[in-house]
């Protein structure tokens, strides 16, 4: 198998080193993106749908743990961390690998051997369930919780409006802006949708498309268009929001 690989690492030297080491140790693999922060990593995951993701735990924007939470079971994840052994017992308890900085060639080879075994198995081994592992990691690693956004400043005509996040039905990427749609109005913010992700509670807002985040409480129903396509009906809005194939798992029984 010639897997697609995504690397997310905010340290330039570590990023270049890992990219070079992977190219040497796994030449048949294809590195589809090297991201410098968590927001670009998540955006790139949606675009390229890699089978393997190397994630630095602490990055600007979304942390590696937050990106992993969004990826879920859709890719094999290898965490890259500077934390000492006291903190990595949680990794050993899960089916996810990790690399300690500075990454050593021998340790990388062992991680790649495990990845090859999973990808070459017939049927291909499913990625690990991240839920329990992430819970353990958050308890073991001193990554401070991020305060979630409560208010949003948005342009409405000549006014700057202060919008309560709970009132938002959905966010939608719109060229250079992000549409903020409420039951009785809408507004535009200059912040790209991918940059809003770090401030939005993933339990409150589900991403259902690369360019759409919907308030879970505003979802009236999800309906199938055909065998492969779905759309979401939103309370208080006549718009029907398409669900990309990547996110149809959210609405499975």
């Amino acid at each position: 198998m010639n897997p697609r690989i995504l690397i997310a690492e905010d340290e330039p030297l570590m990023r270049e080193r890992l990219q070079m080491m992977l190219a040497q140790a796994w030449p048949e693999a294809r590195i589809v993106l090297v991201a410098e922060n968590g927001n670009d990593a998540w955006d790139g995951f949606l675009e390229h749908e890699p089978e393997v993701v190397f994630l630095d735990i602490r990055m600007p924007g979304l942390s590696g743990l937050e990106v992993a939470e969004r990826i879920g079971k859709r890719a094999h994840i290898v965490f890259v961390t500077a934390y000492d052994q006291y903190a990595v017992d949680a990794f050993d308890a899960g089916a996810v690998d990790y690399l300690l900085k500075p990454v050593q060639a021998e340790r990388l080879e062992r991680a790649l051997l495990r990845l090859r075994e999973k990808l070459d198995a017939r049927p291909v081994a499913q990625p690990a369930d991240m839920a329990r592992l992430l819970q353990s990691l958050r308890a073991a690693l001193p990554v401070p919780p991020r305060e979630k956004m409560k208010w949003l400043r948005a342009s409405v005509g000549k006014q700057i409006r202060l919008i309560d996040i709970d009132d938002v039905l959905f966010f939608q990427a719109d060229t250079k802006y992000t549409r903020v749609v409420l039951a009785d109005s809408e507004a535009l913010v200059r912040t790209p949708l991918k940059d809003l992700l770090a401030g939005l509670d993933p339990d409150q807002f589900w991403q259902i498309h690369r360019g759409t985040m919907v308030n879970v409480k505003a979802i009236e129903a999800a309906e199938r268009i055909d065998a492969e396509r779905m759309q979401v009906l939103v309370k208080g809005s006549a718009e029907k929001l398409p669900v990309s194939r990547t996110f149809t798992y959210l609405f499975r029984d």
Side-chain angles (χ1 to χ4, degrees):
M1 184 177 184
N2 302 324
R4 298 181 297 275
I5 294 178
L6 186 152
I7 299 171
E9 167 63 58
D10 70 324
E11 298 176 27
L13 292 179
M14 185 65 246
R15 195 164 57 240
E16 293 174 11
R17 174 176 170 80
L18 186 55
Q19 189 174 2
M20 179 189 68
M21 293 174 73
L22 280 169
Q24 293 175 347
W26 205 355
E28 65 271 27
R30 181 163 60 95
I31 299 174
V32 295
L33 180 70
V34 181
E36 300 179 14
N37 59 67
N39 293 355
D40 287 346
W42 175 238
D43 206 40
F45 179 82
L46 296 180
E47 179 178 356
H48 298 286
E49 298 185 354
E51 289 85 13
V52 177
V53 180
F54 286 80
L55 285 176
D56 186 10
I57 284 184
R58 301 195 74 168
M59 294 183 288
L62 293 170
S63 70
L65 299 186
E66 289 170 321
V67 176
E69 185 173 34
R70 294 176 185 275
I71 290 173
K73 297 182 181 180
R74 287 172 284 171
H76 295 282
I77 292 174
V78 178
F79 284 109
V80 183
T81 176
Y83 296 113
D84 291 331
Q85 188 63 46
Y86 84 94
V88 300
D89 291 341
F91 290 108
D92 291 329
V96 174
D97 215 333
Y98 66 94
L99 301 171
L100 288 176
K101 297 180 183 180
V103 176
Q104 302 298 317
E106 181 181 352
R107 182 64 185 85
L108 177 61
E109 286 282 1
R110 292 207 305 271
L112 296 184
L113 178 61
R114 294 190 187 111
L115 285 169
R116 287 191 183 98
E117 290 175 348
K118 293 175 182 177
L119 294 171
D120 291 341
R122 292 293 178 269
V124 175
Q126 291 296 308
D129 183 352
M130 298 300 298
R132 291 184 62 185
L133 177 64
L134 289 173
Q135 185 177 5
S136 299
L137 288 175
R138 286 195 174 96
L141 302 175
V143 180
R146 192 188 309 277
E147 185 176 348
K148 296 306 176 184
M149 189 184 306
K150 296 179 180 178
W151 299 91
L152 187 66
R153 291 179 177 85
S155 299
V156 181
K158 295 181 180 181
Q159 297 180 336
I160 301 298
R161 183 175 173 186
L162 197 59
I163 296 174
D164 187 332
I165 288 295
D166 291 338
D167 293 337
V168 177
L169 300 181
F170 61 90
F171 294 94
Q172 198 164 54
D174 184 12
T175 59
K176 297 180 181 180
Y177 301 90
T178 299
R179 287 179 68 208
V180 184
V181 180
L182 297 91
D184 57 355
S185 63
E186 65 177 74
L188 293 174
V189 296
R190 294 182 181 274
T191 308
L193 183 62
K194 69 175 183 178
D195 291 342
L196 289 174
L197 283 173
L200 295 174
D201 184 347
D203 291 330
Q204 181 181 9
F205 285 91
W206 285 359
Q207 187 161 18
I208 60 170
H209 190 277
R210 187 178 177 188
T212 307
M213 298 280 294
V214 62
N215 191 331
V216 176
K217 294 180 180 179
I219 296 175
E220 182 175 331
E223 62 180 18
R224 292 194 176 277
I225 301 172
D226 54 36
E228 297 184 354
R229 296 182 299 160
M230 295 185 71
Q231 62 186 9
V232 163
L233 308 182
V234 181
K235 300 173 185 175
S237 174
E239 293 189 53
K240 297 181 179 181
L241 307 177
V243 180
S244 68
R245 181 173 56 86
T246 306
F247 298 106
T248 55
Y249 77 95
L250 292 167
F251 303 100
R252 290 175 188 156
D253 293 335

